[in-house]
Amino acid sequence: MDIIKARPWVKLAPHFAESEFACRCCGMVMISMELISRLEKLRQYIGRPVIVSSGYRCPRHNQVVGGAVNSFHMKGLAADIYIVGYSAEKLATVAEWFGFDGLGVYRQGNFIHVDVRGYRARW
Ligand SMILES: [Zn+2]
């Protein structure tokens, strides 16, 4: 994968635009199509907008938001998502059916983290 400037007109899947996964500080993006594919399946199953609160993060931004030193967000393999009207718990329960490798539930922020790191992780 290459890191590029997100192109506002590019759709990666029917319900996901490239820009939704861009770093919030610099607009750069690198994102796994395997992650997008699983997110799109989740989106189609639920039938409601899946909002991406964090996709790719450049190292600087990852540090600013207090991300893990080896965060999968910096590798283009992770996204934090939420759905209006869904608890993080409920979203995580449904997301379990769509093959994400890493899945973290953040009850305080009411979002979940999903990734395709290549091995199973739950928190
Ligand atoms: Zn950035």
Side-chain angles (χ1 to χ4, degrees), residues 23 25-26 58 61:
C23 179
C25 86
C26 59
C58 72
H61 186 57

Side-chain angles (χ1 to χ4, degrees), residues 50-61:
V50 170
I51 300 157
V52 181
S53 50
S54 185
Y56 172 70
R57 290 179 197 154
C58 72
R60 188 183 64 166
H61 186 57

Side-chain angles (χ1 to χ4, degrees), residues 27-44:
M28 300 300 285
V29 69
M30 169 172 70
I31 200 76
S32 157
M33 284 309 297
E34 187 54 48
L35 178 68
I36 300 297
S37 161
R38 294 176 201 190
L39 284 171
E40 178 64 25
K41 289 187 181 109
L42 171 67
R43 167 65 179 83
Q44 292 193 7

